[in-house]
Amino acid sequence: MKKIAIVQSNYIPWKGYFDLVNSVDEFVILDEVQFTKNDWRNRNRIKTPAGVHWLSIPVRHERLAQTISATRVMDARWAERHWKTLRQNYSRTPYFDCYAPTLEEAYREASGLELLSDINLLLLQVVCGLLGIRTRMVPCTRYVFSNERNARLLDICQQAGADLYLSGPAARS
C-alpha cells in the first residue's frame, strides 16, 4: 500500500509537518499554487527570551497569481541574519553544538539559492536527514494535474500510484 502526502512548502515547518513526511512513502511538495503573502511559505516564528521573534525570508511578490515556485528572494543576506538569530537564541540549549554545524552549512548553502521553493526544500531535506526521515520527496511538477483544487490532488494521487492520501490538519475540510 503506497501512502502519499501533498503539502505546500514552508519555511522551518512545524513538528507535525515532519510527522506527516515520516508517515508516508512519498511526499509531494505542492509549489505550483498561489504564493500567499505574509504566510508560512517564507516566514516562521521562534521563541526567544524576549518573546516570539519572526524570521522572514524577503521575497519579491510581483503579481497576485504568482506561484510559490516562481517566488524569488530579494536579499541573500537573509540566511546569515537568520542563522545569527538562531545561534544567539539557541546556542545554550541542549544538543545545539551537535546540530549547529549541519544547520549552519544549510543556511550557507541556502543563501546562494534564488527561489523560495528551493530554500524550503533544502532545509526540509536537511532537517529530515537529522531526524532520520528517509521519505522520498518530489516536486509536484513531476506530475500533470488540473488547476481545480480537488482534481489536482486526485490527479497527483493517481499518477503516483497512491492507495492512501494523508493530508495535513489545514486540509481537513
Side-chain angles (χ1 to χ4, degrees):
M1 175 180 274
K2 183 177 181 180
K3 297 182 282 184
I4 73 166
I6 306 167
V7 181
Q8 295 178 21
S9 71
N10 288 277
Y11 177 58
I12 315 176
W14 67 99
K15 179 189 172 292
Y17 194 99
F18 293 97
D19 290 337
L20 184 60
V21 173
N22 195 40
S23 67
V24 296
D25 303 302
E26 183 175 313
F27 188 78
V28 179
I29 299 168
L30 185 63
D31 283 352
E32 292 298 315
V33 294
Q34 184 177 359
F35 171 78
T36 47
K37 191 175 178 185
N38 298 324
D39 204 350
W40 305 109
R41 308 306 147 236
N42 68 308
R43 67 185 200 150
N44 214 318
R45 27 182 209 202
I46 62 169
K47 292 181 180 181
T48 73
V52 172
H53 179 81
W54 282 96
L55 294 176
S56 298
I57 300 173
V59 296
R60 298 182 196 282
H61 191 229
E62 298 167 337
R63 56 190 164 76
L64 186 60
Q66 178 174 310
T67 61
I68 298 168
S69 64
T71 302
R72 296 188 175 283
V73 174
M74 283 185 0
D75 181 356
R77 294 174 295 180
W78 72 269
E80 184 179 336
R81 289 192 297 261
H82 287 204
W83 175 246
K84 182 180 176 184
T85 300
L86 291 168
R87 190 178 64 237
Q88 286 174 340
N89 286 285
Y90 294 102
S91 63
R92 294 183 183 185
T93 61
Y95 308 106
F96 181 84
D97 290 338
C98 177
Y99 298 110
T102 302
L103 295 172
E104 183 176 17
E105 177 57 32
Y107 273 92
R108 188 174 293 117
E109 185 177 340
S111 71
L113 300 174
E114 293 181 22
L115 295 173
L116 179 62
S117 292
D118 293 342
I119 292 166
N120 288 347
L121 177 59
L122 168 68
L123 295 174
L124 176 64
Q125 290 171 328
V126 167
V127 174
C128 282
L130 291 172
L131 295 172
I133 298 172
R134 304 284 179 242
T135 300
R136 181 176 154 200
M137 289 180 239
V138 299
C140 66
T141 53
R142 167 172 251 203
Y143 302 106
V144 178
F145 49 84
S146 166
N147 285 330
E148 195 276 315
R149 173 182 256 162
N150 293 324
R152 173 176 45 225
L153 298 178
L154 182 59
D155 290 343
I156 293 171
C157 286
Q158 288 175 334
Q159 291 173 49
D163 298 299
L164 184 63
Y165 165 70
L166 298 179
S167 70
R172 186 171 292 143
S173 63

